Amino acid sequence: KLISQILNKAVEWGYLAENPCYKIPKSERPRPEYHHHPIWNEPELKHFLQLVDELKDTPRNIKHQLMFYISLLTGARKGELCALTWDKINFEEKSIYIDKSLQFVKGVNRDFGKPKTRSSVRKLYLDDRIVKLLKKHKYYQDLYLSKRGYDNPQHIVFLATRRIENELKPVSASCFYIWLSKFSRENGFSHITVHSLRHMAATYALMYGAPLTAVQTMLGHTNVRTTSIYLHD
């Protein structure tokens, strides 16, 4: 893909008449080897959900509960989750609109960019529990901003606990991963990654009868063949 993109740019700039990669038959084009992320079985997941539900009602716990539930229910990518803004949440419709993703500049500064693919721009629906937590999270966040005298001009939902370059920035995916790993380890669960929650969202949706095309739309996959991988998890 990288070589093909480079050659496409060469065609665009007039150095080549055509991209030679397109002469390779589709059946002979190399494909990346799919990496299966670890997921929990149903009893493990139910137990974990129970423990997450029992967390004390604190600003920090509510933030992590929200990130966990949204990831598990919608299958949103970690970059999409970290880039979520309040203006893209419709409380009446119980939905969020994904139109950006968190990008890393020089490995440090976090900023918004476009989602992974054109199909990744999508609307995802929430349940009552997530909507309730979002309202609680908004209340605590407004309280925090008012107390510190900070502004949140980008309407970021999940803010970092410290300012970077005198600006509030969204949390990094590693922040959520650290919490998830620690909480799992402390409660005797096998190790999973943040991306595992996306896999579980797809796997359990298909297991309980959701159409493959519906899961494809939910995950923002361009090709349904990518989504069909989850049929084998």
Side-chain angles (χ1 to χ4, degrees):
K1 285 184 178 179
L2 178 60
I3 292 171
S4 182
Q5 288 172 359
I6 293 171
L7 294 174
N8 277 338
K9 185 60 69 173
V11 172
E12 181 184 327
W13 289 345
Y15 291 106
L16 291 175
E18 61 178 342
N19 187 339
C21 288
Y22 294 151
K23 295 182 179 181
I24 304 173
K26 285 188 176 182
S27 59
E28 296 179 15
R29 294 176 188 176
R31 294 182 180 181
E33 186 173 329
Y34 175 69
H35 174 63
H36 284 266
H37 288 261
I39 66 172
W40 290 324
N41 59 36
E42 198 165 358
E44 287 178 310
L45 179 57
K46 286 182 177 179
H47 184 206
F48 192 88
L49 284 168
Q50 180 184 351
L51 294 176
V52 172
D53 282 340
E54 292 172 354
L55 286 171
K56 292 181 180 179
D57 195 352
T58 67
R60 184 175 181 273
N61 284 341
I62 287 172
K63 180 180 74 174
H64 290 135
Q65 282 176 320
L66 262 176
M67 296 185 82
F68 174 77
Y69 288 134
I70 293 175
S71 299
L72 183 65
L73 180 69
T74 69
R77 298 180 180 93
K78 54 189 178 183
E80 297 168 345
L81 183 66
C82 295
L84 185 62
T85 52
W86 289 110
D87 56 313
K88 301 302 178 181
I89 297 175
N90 188 323
F91 285 99
E92 291 185 5
E93 194 180 49
K94 299 178 184 178
S95 67
I96 56 177
Y97 186 68
I98 303 294
D99 64 348
K100 53 189 173 295
S101 183
L102 192 65
Q103 306 290 326
F104 290 86
V105 181
K106 297 181 181 178
V108 178
N109 297 326
R110 297 186 288 275
D111 205 354
F112 297 146
K114 293 181 180 180
K116 189 174 182 179
T117 64
R118 186 176 297 178
S119 301
S120 296
V121 177
R122 63 203 189 279
K123 183 184 290 186
L124 300 172
Y125 291 92
L126 313 172
D127 60 13
D128 291 334
R129 173 172 52 187
I130 292 177
V131 171
K132 184 178 179 180
L133 283 171
L134 276 168
K135 290 178 179 178
K136 280 187 180 182
H137 179 62
K138 184 72 165 62
Y139 169 78
Y140 281 126
Q141 187 183 94
D142 288 344
L143 209 61
Y144 169 80
L145 293 172
S146 176
K147 184 178 179 180
R148 297 294 184 95
Y150 293 159
D151 293 321
N152 184 16
Q154 291 181 295
H155 310 293
I156 300 164
V157 174
F158 300 112
L159 287 167
T161 55
R162 63 185 178 86
R163 295 202 297 175
I164 301 172
E165 296 180 351
N166 294 320
E167 290 184 8
L168 286 169
K169 294 287 185 178
V171 297
S172 66
S174 62
C175 171
F176 181 36
Y177 170 75
I178 290 169
W179 173 84
L180 181 63
S181 298
K182 182 181 179 183
F183 192 77
S184 301
R185 184 175 62 254
E186 290 176 345
N187 290 282
F189 289 89
S190 57
H191 175 74
I192 64 167
T193 66
V194 175
H195 200 74
S196 296
L197 300 178
R198 178 172 166 84
H199 282 237
M200 282 193 274
T203 300
Y204 283 106
L206 291 168
M207 183 187 298
Y208 281 92
L212 187 62
T213 50
V215 176
Q216 176 194 1
T217 301
M218 179 182 79
L219 297 179
H221 285 159
T222 302
N223 196 314
V224 74
R225 286 182 298 179
T226 306
T227 315
S228 66
I229 292 170
Y230 296 104
L231 290 170
H232 307 292
D233 279 351

